[in-house]
Amino acid sequence: MLVRSIALSNYRNYKDIQVDFDPHLNILTGGNAQGKTNILEAIFYAATGKSHRSSFDNELLSWGEKFFKVSLRGERRSGEVKIEIYVKGDGKKLLKVNNHYKKKLSDLIGTINVVLFSPEDMMLVKGSPSIRRRFLDIEISQVSPFYCHSLANYNRIISQRNNLLKAIREQRESEGLLDVWDLQLVEYGAYIIKKRDEVLRSIVQLARSIHSKITEGREQLDISYVSSVDMKKVGPGTSLEDLFLKKLRDNRSTEIVKGITMTGPHRDDITIEIGGAGVKSFGSQGQQRTCALSMKLAELEFMKRETGEYPILLLDDVMSELDAERRKYLLEVVNGRIQSFVTTTGVEEVFQPVKHKGRVFEVKKGQIFHVQEG
Ligand SMILES: Nc1ncnc2c1ncn2[C@@H]1O[C@H](COP(=O)(O)OP(=O)(O)OP(=O)(O)O)[C@@H](O)[C@H]1O
Ligand SMILES: [Mg+2]
C-alpha cells in the first residue's frame, strides 16, 4: 500500500500544495510550528475521515477560509486509489472515493490504511483508559466498516440514554422508557466488547513477540481486555448480552441518580503487564515506552494480516522519545517494506543511516520543498 501524492487546499497552514512522495521513506524536516505534523494529519484524515488530534473538522480549515480540500492518490495491490474530501465552513462534507461520491464515512474504510505513532502514544500505557479504547477503535474501524458503523450508533445511543436518565431524574420522563434503550445499548455494546476482545487477542500475540525481540527475551508482556461487563461469567446458557442487561437493570437506580450510563464498552479498559505486574503503576518509563512501541508495531502486523498489505506508517516526532536501542528497532521497520513518513526537527543525527533510502522534504511556513532524493 502506498501514498503517491497528496494535494491540500486551505488545510491548516497550507494554502495550496501538491507533493509527490517516495514509495519507501519520506522524511519531513523543519523547525517547530512549520507544518510537519499537519502533513501527517492530512494523510491520516484522508485515510480515516478524521483527524488524530482534533474532533472538529472546522479546526482543520485555514483561518479565514470558506472550505478545505484534501486529495490523496495512492496504490493498493488491487490498483490505484483516489480519495477526495471537501469540507465547507458550515460543516458540509463531500467524500469521493475512486471518483464516486460516497454518503457515509464508513465507505472510506479500507481504501488506505494507516498507523500513526506520535509522542501522545507514549501515553498508551500510563494515560487514561480512553486512550487505550481509542487505540483499539481506530485499529478495528480501519479493517471493519461494520465496527465503525456500530461504534457510531453506540455513541449516539449512550448520549441519548444519558439524556433520558437525566430527564427521569428530573421527573420529566418515565422510567419505563429505558427498557427500549437498554436493549439497543446491549445489542451494539456487546458486539463492540466481543470484537475488541477478539482483536486485542490477535494484537497481543504480535505485540508479545515484538516486545520480546526488543527486550531480547528479558521481559514477557501480557495484555488483556477488561470489560465493565464481567466477561469471565460468560458460559453455557449465559451470554454477554444477558450479563450486560442484568448489570444495567441492577444499576438502574444509581444510573438515574448520576445521570450517566455506567456499564458498557465506553467504560472498558486494557491492562498491560510485564511479568504479572501492571506497567501503568510499576513499570519504568522505559518499560512503558517499549510496551507502547510494541503495541503500535503490532498494529502494523495486525493490519497486514487482516488486509493482506502493510498499512502506511506515520511517525510523528517519536524518535526523540526513544533511546538508542528502541530507535534502532524502529529504524529497521522504517527501513523495511513499509512506506513510512517521519517528522523530525533534525534529520542529521537520527535519520543519517537511512536518509539516502528515501526523500527528504523541508517544511517551512506552510510550504514543502523537496530537498533530497534517495
Ligand atoms: N486552522 C489553521 N489555520 C491556519 N494555520 C493553522 C491552523 N491550525 C494550525 N495552524 C498552524 O499550523 C502550524 C503548526 O503546524 P504543525 O503542528 O504541523 O507544526 P510542526 O511542524 O509539526 O511543529 P512541531 O515541530 O512543533 O511539532 C502552526 O503555525 C499553527 O499556527
Ligand atoms: Mg509536529
Side-chain angles (χ1 to χ4, degrees):
M1 199 177 298
L2 292 177
V3 175
R4 289 280 180 210
S5 67
I6 58 162
L8 305 177
S9 302
N10 301 330
Y11 185 93
R12 297 254 194 209
N13 65 338
Y14 291 99
K15 284 280 159 263
D16 254 310
I17 57 152
Q18 200 271 344
V19 210
D20 295 325
F21 293 117
D22 185 84
H24 303 291
L25 175 62
N26 296 278
I27 303 175
L28 309 176
T29 67
N32 296 125
Q34 301 302 309
K36 301 181 298 296
T37 301
N38 291 346
I39 297 278
L40 262 51
E41 181 190 44
I43 297 173
F44 187 92
Y45 185 78
T48 64
K50 291 177 195 141
S51 157
H52 67 286
R53 51 179 183 174
S54 161
S55 313
F56 307 102
D57 279 349
N58 61 9
E59 288 180 11
L60 312 179
L61 177 64
S62 290
W63 299 318
E65 298 294 342
K66 291 193 170 59
F67 75 93
F68 74 84
K69 191 175 171 194
V70 176
S71 314
L72 180 151
R73 283 177 180 276
E75 221 174 281
R76 296 188 68 100
R77 220 176 277 145
S78 53
E80 289 192 358
V81 293
K82 192 171 155 196
I83 296 165
E84 292 157 278
I85 307 179
Y86 177 92
V87 182
K88 288 213 289 193
D90 62 7
K92 212 162 171 234
K93 197 164 180 170
L94 291 175
L95 169 66
K96 251 182 176 180
V97 178
N98 300 333
N99 299 320
H100 297 290
Y101 282 104
K102 300 285 179 185
K103 284 211 182 78
K104 295 188 293 305
L105 216 51
S106 52
D107 294 328
L108 179 65
I109 303 298
T111 314
I112 286 285
N113 297 112
V114 289
V115 167
L116 180 124
F117 194 10
S118 68
E120 293 86 68
D121 287 307
M122 299 300 175
M123 297 299 287
L124 198 57
V125 178
K126 61 177 176 184
S128 67
S130 64
I131 296 175
R132 290 179 286 280
R133 290 193 296 265
R134 208 175 109 87
F135 164 79
L136 281 176
D137 289 341
I138 292 176
E139 176 80 6
I140 309 171
S141 291
Q142 284 198 62
V143 295
S144 166
F146 186 72
Y147 184 86
C148 186
H149 172 75
S150 302
L151 195 62
N153 273 337
Y154 180 80
N155 289 333
R156 182 183 46 80
I157 294 166
I158 284 285
S159 108
Q160 290 176 342
R161 187 176 184 275
N162 287 350
N163 287 339
L164 180 60
L165 286 168
K166 289 183 193 93
I168 296 167
R169 182 179 64 195
E170 288 152 19
Q171 295 177 342
R172 288 185 282 115
E173 294 286 3
S174 69
E175 197 186 313
L177 286 173
L178 272 174
D179 292 346
V180 168
W181 287 103
D182 286 3
L183 289 176
Q184 287 198 41
L185 191 77
V186 165
E187 183 190 335
Y188 288 105
Y191 165 75
I192 291 166
I193 294 172
K194 286 182 207 168
K195 190 74 186 170
R196 282 186 186 164
D197 184 48
E198 173 201 316
V199 167
L200 189 64
R201 283 170 196 272
S202 313
I203 292 178
V204 173
Q205 285 181 346
L206 299 162
R208 283 175 80 135
S209 90
I210 294 167
H211 190 266
S212 168
K213 261 186 224 153
I214 304 177
T215 61
E216 292 170 334
R218 287 189 303 271
E219 292 177 359
Q220 192 176 359
L221 180 65
D222 280 303
I223 307 175
S224 42
Y225 191 74
V226 184
S227 179
S228 50
V229 183
D230 192 355
M231 299 168 74
K232 288 192 204 87
K233 288 191 185 147
V234 174
T238 314
S239 67
L240 187 69
E241 285 80 354
D242 298 336
L243 292 166
F244 196 162
L245 198 59
K246 182 169 181 316
K247 197 150 179 199
L248 288 176
R249 297 270 153 87
D250 290 348
N251 286 341
R252 187 175 271 190
S253 48
T254 319
E255 287 193 338
I256 292 171
V257 172
K258 293 193 171 175
I260 49 165
T261 305
M262 290 154 56
T263 306
H266 66 295
R267 301 290 283 241
D268 293 356
D269 199 359
I270 296 171
T271 57
I272 305 164
E273 296 178 338
I274 292 174
V279 186
K280 185 175 180 175
S281 313
F282 299 108
S284 71
Q285 209 171 47
Q287 283 176 317
Q288 292 176 346
R289 287 176 181 190
T290 308
C291 290
L293 181 62
S294 306
M295 287 172 76
K296 290 307 277 188
L297 294 178
E299 261 191 273
L300 291 174
E301 299 298 330
F302 171 76
M303 282 199 198
K304 161 88 188 325
R305 205 191 255 181
E306 291 293 303
T307 67
E309 289 180 65
Y310 274 115
I312 313 296
L313 178 61
L314 308 171
L315 295 178
D316 192 12
D317 238 355
V318 284
M319 287 300 185
S320 54
E321 300 278 325
L322 301 171
D323 64 12
E325 245 337 271
R326 283 172 278 240
R327 272 184 190 175
K328 200 177 114 223
Y329 194 85
L330 197 51
L331 274 183
E332 276 170 30
V333 176
V334 165
N335 218 351
R337 287 160 297 160
I338 300 171
Q339 187 190 26
S340 310
F341 293 79
V342 300
T343 69
T344 172
T345 41
V347 65
E348 292 312 323
E349 359 122 33
V350 181
F351 293 102
Q352 200 61 36
V354 292
K355 72 173 202 186
H356 62 282
K357 299 254 172 93
R359 253 172 239 187
V360 181
F361 298 90
E362 191 182 344
V363 176
K364 207 167 182 185
K365 290 186 184 160
Q367 297 286 326
I368 179 163
F369 309 98
H370 182 179
V371 291
Q372 180 223 296
E373 187 76 54

